[in-house]
Amino acid sequence: MLFSSSYIIKNKIDSLSKDLESQVDSLYKNINTTIETTNSEIKTTKENEIKLFLETSANICDHLIRVEIDNLLRKIKIISEKESVKNAVTFNLFKEKTIQKEKNSKYYKQIYTQSKKPIRYISLLNTEKTLAWPGREIRAGLELFEKNGKIKARTDIKKEFREKNNSEYIKIILESNIYLELMQIVSTKSGLAIKVYSHIRNSKTDEVSGGLIGILPMDNTFADYLKKHTGCEIIIYKQNGEFYSTSFFIKGSRFEFKNKHLIFSDLVNNPNKIIFEDIIIPSPQDPINKKNIYKFIFYPIMGNNENV
């Protein structure tokens, strides 16, 4: 009886031990499953938060670009309506800094000089540029064209951004009888630029006597401007796949991003499509051994006629 009781007790203990072990294993698996599920849910939630943040930032960038276009249009309109600019384009007249006292009178008169020298027009444009962008945007440029459609003068502008004589946009401005402002985003070897166009009218007859063009490059400085307002790193891709970016530097040089021809083509055909991509970028401190993963959203920059 003693042996039998001991045997029964031992069996029960073994059975209880196995049951307990099974329950512990089951509990362990449940905990692991719960942890994995929780981690997955956290990861998914975090990823969705990042995507939402990037979408919001992309919309902010789009708004900022529109604001810069509106600001450029406004500045060009103000400059084109100044009497000094109208007189120069219409009558080749330039106001001198000195005034002259009239004979046998207590009154003084403003002296004007008639000139067709390019340096006078260049000086005028540089003065207006400084007034419009006082110490802020030295990258901006101005071009002046006459009634014959030829460029009369320009400030310091990259060659690829310079308007050609009698270009399509110049012709549209000169042939329009109503007040007209045009805009385009151009893509050249030198990069992207916003270009706006405005009339210059004869003060006496109100006829179109020429026009003014404003240029604002969309380069690394422009990318930094977008970053400042979004908190995101920015890459501006050109049509040929080249880019301008913010602070992605490796050993003193900007990180070379891969060409995005396929994504660009995809956005051209589907401008409302949202495209995300994870890009691995070496750490600036240890580019060989340490890599950082960045999630990017690709968002189209829409020019005139809603073209990407």
Side-chain angles (χ1 to χ4, degrees):
M1 287 293 292
L2 182 60
F3 173 77
S4 176
S5 296
S6 297
Y7 181 77
I8 291 172
I9 291 172
K10 185 177 182 304
N11 278 346
K12 283 192 174 183
I13 291 173
D14 289 342
S15 176
L16 287 170
S17 179
K18 288 179 180 179
D19 287 344
L20 182 60
E21 185 178 345
S22 175
Q23 290 177 21
V24 169
D25 286 342
S26 178
L27 180 61
Y28 179 76
K29 289 178 181 178
N30 288 337
I31 291 173
N32 280 342
T33 301
T34 302
I35 291 173
E36 289 175 2
T37 302
T38 303
N39 287 339
S40 177
E41 290 174 350
I42 291 173
K43 183 179 178 180
T44 301
T45 301
K46 191 65 178 176
E47 181 133 341
N48 288 336
E49 287 177 0
I50 292 172
K51 286 182 176 180
L52 180 60
F53 174 75
L54 289 175
E55 285 186 57
T56 303
S57 298
N59 287 323
I60 292 173
C61 286
D62 182 65
H63 173 71
L64 290 171
I65 291 171
R66 300 300 147 190
V67 168
E68 286 300 299
I69 291 171
D70 290 342
N71 285 340
L72 189 57
L73 283 167
R74 178 177 54 81
K75 290 178 186 291
I76 296 308
K77 182 180 179 182
I78 290 172
I79 295 172
S80 65
E81 290 180 349
K82 286 188 174 183
E83 285 301 317
S84 58
V85 175
K86 288 183 177 182
N87 286 336
V89 174
T90 307
F91 307 111
N92 302 315
L93 284 177
F94 296 88
K95 182 190 289 188
E96 298 296 341
K97 293 181 180 179
T98 58
I99 58 175
Q100 190 178 76
K101 188 176 181 180
E102 297 180 356
K103 288 183 178 181
N104 303 320
S105 173
K106 63 179 180 180
Y107 297 105
Y108 289 81
K109 62 181 179 181
Q110 177 65 56
I111 303 299
Y112 286 85
T113 302
Q114 195 166 37
S115 175
K116 292 185 178 181
K117 293 181 179 179
I119 189 66
R120 296 301 302 264
Y121 295 88
I122 294 171
S123 177
L124 175 65
L125 288 183
N126 280 321
T127 298
E128 294 301 332
K129 175 182 171 180
T130 302
L131 291 172
W133 294 277
R136 174 185 172 267
E137 192 51 85
I138 59 172
R139 299 173 304 119
L142 297 174
E143 291 181 300
L144 197 66
F145 60 90
E146 299 177 295
K147 194 172 184 178
N148 60 12
K150 293 183 179 180
I151 300 296
K152 183 70 176 179
R154 58 171 59 94
T155 58
D156 186 25
I157 301 169
K158 286 184 177 181
K159 188 175 181 180
E160 285 81 2
F161 292 149
R162 295 176 183 178
E163 195 76 10
K164 293 181 179 179
N165 290 331
N166 288 296
S167 69
E168 176 188 356
Y169 282 81
I170 287 178
K171 288 179 179 178
I172 293 173
I173 287 290
L174 293 175
E175 292 170 3
S176 175
N177 292 321
I178 61 172
Y179 182 80
L180 184 66
E181 293 174 333
L182 297 177
M183 182 280 293
Q184 66 168 327
I185 296 177
V186 296
S187 179
T188 72
K189 292 180 180 179
S190 291
L192 294 168
I194 301 168
K195 299 189 75 171
V196 301
Y197 305 73
S198 181
H199 285 135
I200 295 176
R201 291 184 174 274
N202 186 316
S203 301
K204 295 181 178 180
T205 65
D206 202 38
E207 293 178 352
V208 176
S209 53
L212 191 67
I213 304 169
I215 301 101
L216 182 64
M218 300 176 71
D219 51 12
N220 292 327
T221 303
F222 195 86
D224 288 332
Y225 162 73
L226 297 179
K227 175 184 175 180
K228 179 182 177 181
H229 288 82
T230 60
C232 293
E233 301 294 345
I234 304 291
I235 309 173
I236 300 175
Y237 279 98
K238 297 191 295 180
Q239 189 170 356
N240 64 359
E242 295 179 14
F243 65 91
Y244 294 98
S245 68
T246 49
S247 54
F248 290 105
F249 287 92
I250 307 297
K251 294 184 177 180
S253 300
R254 287 188 183 271
F255 177 71
E256 291 291 327
F257 288 94
K258 292 181 179 180
N259 199 302
K260 298 298 176 183
H261 273 305
L262 293 178
I263 288 179
F264 187 89
S265 298
D266 197 1
L267 288 174
V268 168
N269 297 321
N270 306 282
N272 295 320
K273 186 175 181 178
I274 298 175
I275 300 175
F276 292 99
E277 183 179 67
D278 290 339
I279 299 178
I280 299 175
I281 300 175
S283 169
Q285 292 77 25
D286 188 3
I288 296 176
N289 300 312
K290 188 176 180 182
K291 313 289 182 183
N292 297 319
I293 300 176
Y294 289 81
K295 183 172 287 296
F296 283 83
I297 183 173
F298 291 86
Y299 194 91
I301 297 175
M302 308 301 292
N304 56 319
N305 301 322
E306 294 301 310
N307 293 325
V308 177

